[in-house]
Amino acid sequence: MIYRPKRRHTPIDIYIKPAKKASISEKREILIQDVADVVAPAKIADKVNKLSLVNIHQDNEKKKSYLVSVTDIIKKINKAYPDYTVNNVGEIDTLVQYSSHKSHDRPVLKWLRVALVAMVLFIGSATAIMSFHNDGQMPKIFETYYRIFYGVERTNPRIISIPYSIGLAVGIFVFYNHFMGKKITDDPTPIEVEMELYENDVTDTVVEVLSQRKKAKEDRVKNGDIS
């Protein structure tokens, strides 16, 4: 008789990677797959992805932002699969921006908005450059350079001002890493970096505010102020 030891059940690890920000539209049920990536055996991952986190009621559709904590996700998974280990490799809190319908802007309106923003940026940049040149007295500096190199006085020396203007334009193209609608290199542009920092700051602020509101509500529930 051959003795074969029984195989012990090996616990399965479920890895989740919540995103920092998620956008949801035209659905009232937020699932785990909407806010996090799940890594597990295929059958388990499919079931975990379909677990519901938040149900948005019709009378609450005006609310635009929801906070989903990683503890909420872990509680849902542990309730469905108590024998599995959940490991978080992503964000602690996820900001969910909800919209009851997708935006269907006409292309004409989009182009008008782009043209308006481009015009404002162009006028603002031109004003900033001219103000800087006026404060720095660049014309006098050009005249001084011309007198140093050529030994004579001349007002508005174009031999210096024209190359300077060309170099200024080239410097702007290089700095913003764009020319004729195409990127010069694969590096992010300064505007992209600033927009990313701005988005992160806004997201962190909203998450902090929602966290404080959520904690205050939980404290009121514990104290019996609300049911």
Side-chain angles (χ1 to χ4, degrees), residues 112-135:
L112 286 176
R113 283 201 293 266
V114 171
L116 179 61
V117 172
M119 183 179 66
V120 172
L121 290 175
F122 177 79
I123 295 175
S125 301
T127 303
I129 293 173
M130 289 187 291
S131 299
F132 169 76
H133 286 176
N134 185 49
D135 293 339

Side-chain angles (χ1 to χ4, degrees), residues 73-108:
I73 302 176
I74 293 176
K75 288 177 182 178
K76 286 288 183 179
I77 298 176
N78 283 338
K79 186 176 180 180
Y81 302 97
D83 297 332
Y84 297 163
T85 303
V86 183
N87 302 280
N88 178 38
V89 294
E91 299 290 336
I92 301 299
D93 295 306
T94 299
L95 175 63
V96 178
Q97 290 188 331
Y98 171 77
S99 175
S100 58
H101 61 277
K102 292 183 178 179
S103 60
H104 299 285
D105 292 340
R106 297 179 180 178
V108 176

Side-chain angles (χ1 to χ4, degrees), residues 146-169:
Y146 191 88
R147 186 178 67 254
I148 292 174
F149 288 107
Y150 294 96
V152 295
E153 296 283 349
R154 184 169 182 178
T155 303
N156 190 20
R158 294 183 178 179
I159 194 172
I160 297 178
S161 60
I162 292 177
Y164 173 80
S165 300
I166 296 174
L168 182 64

Side-chain angles (χ1 to χ4, degrees), residues 4 9 39 62 94 121 123 168 176 202 204 215 222:
R4 295 180 180 179
H9 174 70
V39 178
K62 293 182 179 180
T94 299
L121 290 175
I123 295 175
L168 182 64
Y176 287 103
V202 171
D204 292 339
K215 186 176 184 303
K222 290 180 180 178

